[in-house]
Amino acid sequence: AAHLAFALSVMTLVLTGMAVFFAETAFAKVVIAVFGSPKAAAYAHRVAATVMLGIFFVHLVFVVARIARNLGSWEWFGPVSLVPSWQDLKDAIAMFKWFFNLGPRPMFDKWTYWEKFDYWAVFWGMAIIGGSGMMLAFPAATATFLPGWLFNVATIIHGEEAILAAVFLFTVHFFNNHFRPDKFPLDTVMFTGAVPLEEFRREHALEYKRLLASGELSKHLVDVPSEPMMLGSNMLGFSLIAFGLMLLVFVMRGWIGSVTAG
């Protein structure tokens, strides 16, 4: 549910935000017409931002509470930690060697290096895009403490970082999670919360072996998602991917147009 709400809010932000950033494009005019007016699109943008930031802060509270409950035994750099380690760099180098047939495919633990990157990239995005967006959303409060020229800087940072985030999400993130040969055309774990055991053994071999050796693997086994759940997940997943790719075309078209015009 959190992933779905987060994805929908981000896509709404890209749709309404890029319609302003690339207002001269035909697509932007269609978007504004669908919302009814620029004011309505701006309202939708702020609502989506509130949802996105709300989910992010709820997640932070959950993480902090979980760490606090297990502070004495918490392993910051353990095998199940999301904190990047030197092993992630080694895994990335080994993976690129495998790409060029220069070595075997590395085995991963609970989190791969690209999953960790995806996770921590959100913190950067929230700080840069969210911070600049808050400045623009509350101009009176911002102007009370900061000089007026910072509004121009915030506008540029907000738009440019949003372009970077959108392109990354709809290319790299989509590829890693859906378009890789062993994932294509869709990974439904984002909605079902369950992954086939064989896929888990292949994708996270080190964790699989550790759980198998400790006898804890059975604790994590769940029933196969029902047919209605799989049908709904597939329909929703394909719809979101199609919408994301449409947004990617919109963003790239607007960006290329602005570069050539400049």
Side-chain angles (χ1 to χ4, degrees):
H3 183 279
L4 176 59
F6 199 84
L8 290 174
S9 63
V10 168
M11 288 181 173
T12 302
L13 287 167
V14 173
L15 181 67
T16 53
M18 293 299 104
V20 174
F21 208 66
F22 301 123
E24 71 285 353
T25 63
F27 194 94
K29 294 178 175 63
V30 172
V31 171
I32 298 301
V34 169
F35 279 95
S37 68
K39 186 176 181 179
Y43 180 77
H45 192 82
R46 285 166 172 77
V47 170
T50 302
V51 172
M52 181 186 71
L53 290 171
I55 293 173
F56 177 71
F57 284 116
V58 168
H59 174 73
L60 280 184
V61 171
F62 171 80
V63 170
V64 171
R66 187 175 183 182
I67 292 175
R69 287 197 307 268
N70 303 278
L71 193 57
S73 59
W74 191 266
E75 295 185 40
W76 293 97
F77 295 97
V80 300
S81 173
L82 271 166
V83 178
S85 64
W86 286 112
Q87 185 59 46
D88 296 307
L89 178 60
K90 295 176 182 178
D91 288 341
I93 294 173
M95 195 70 166
F96 276 86
K97 287 183 177 179
W98 177 68
F99 289 159
F100 296 98
N101 201 30
L102 298 176
R105 187 180 190 275
M107 292 190 296
F108 299 105
D109 215 304
K110 185 176 182 64
W111 308 108
T112 64
Y113 65 87
W114 65 82
E115 288 172 331
K116 290 184 180 181
F117 184 88
D118 272 0
Y119 179 77
W120 290 106
V122 175
F123 286 78
W124 167 265
M126 290 297 168
I128 302 301
I129 302 177
S132 59
M134 292 291 284
M135 290 174 59
L136 298 172
F138 300 99
T142 302
T144 303
F145 303 99
L146 299 172
W149 58 266
L150 275 179
F151 285 105
N152 294 331
V153 176
T155 300
I156 295 173
I157 290 176
H158 193 70
E160 297 292 345
E161 183 64 24
I163 292 174
L164 178 63
V167 172
F168 177 86
L169 283 172
F170 304 139
T171 56
V172 178
H173 182 69
F174 272 17
F175 177 81
N176 283 337
N177 291 279
H178 305 296
F179 298 156
R180 283 188 291 140
D182 49 357
K183 294 285 189 179
F184 187 83
L186 176 69
D187 187 356
T188 58
V189 69
M190 57 183 171
F191 299 127
T192 65
V195 62
L197 186 60
E198 180 57 34
E199 180 181 331
F200 173 66
R201 187 167 68 90
R202 182 183 70 249
E203 293 285 325
H204 303 278
L206 296 181
E207 185 184 27
Y208 174 84
K209 291 180 179 179
R210 185 174 62 254
L211 292 175
L212 189 65
S214 64
E216 296 181 354
L217 183 62
S218 59
K219 298 179 182 179
H220 299 274
L221 298 179
V222 297
D223 294 333
V224 176
S226 65
E227 289 189 14
M229 169 65 79
M230 289 303 301
L231 178 61
S233 297
N234 279 300
M235 292 175 62
L236 193 55
F238 282 124
S239 298
L240 288 175
I241 288 176
F243 189 45
L245 294 178
M246 181 189 70
L247 289 173
L248 176 63
V249 173
F250 174 32
V251 171
M252 294 306 298
R253 174 66 183 86
W255 181 77
I256 292 173
S258 64
V259 170
T260 54

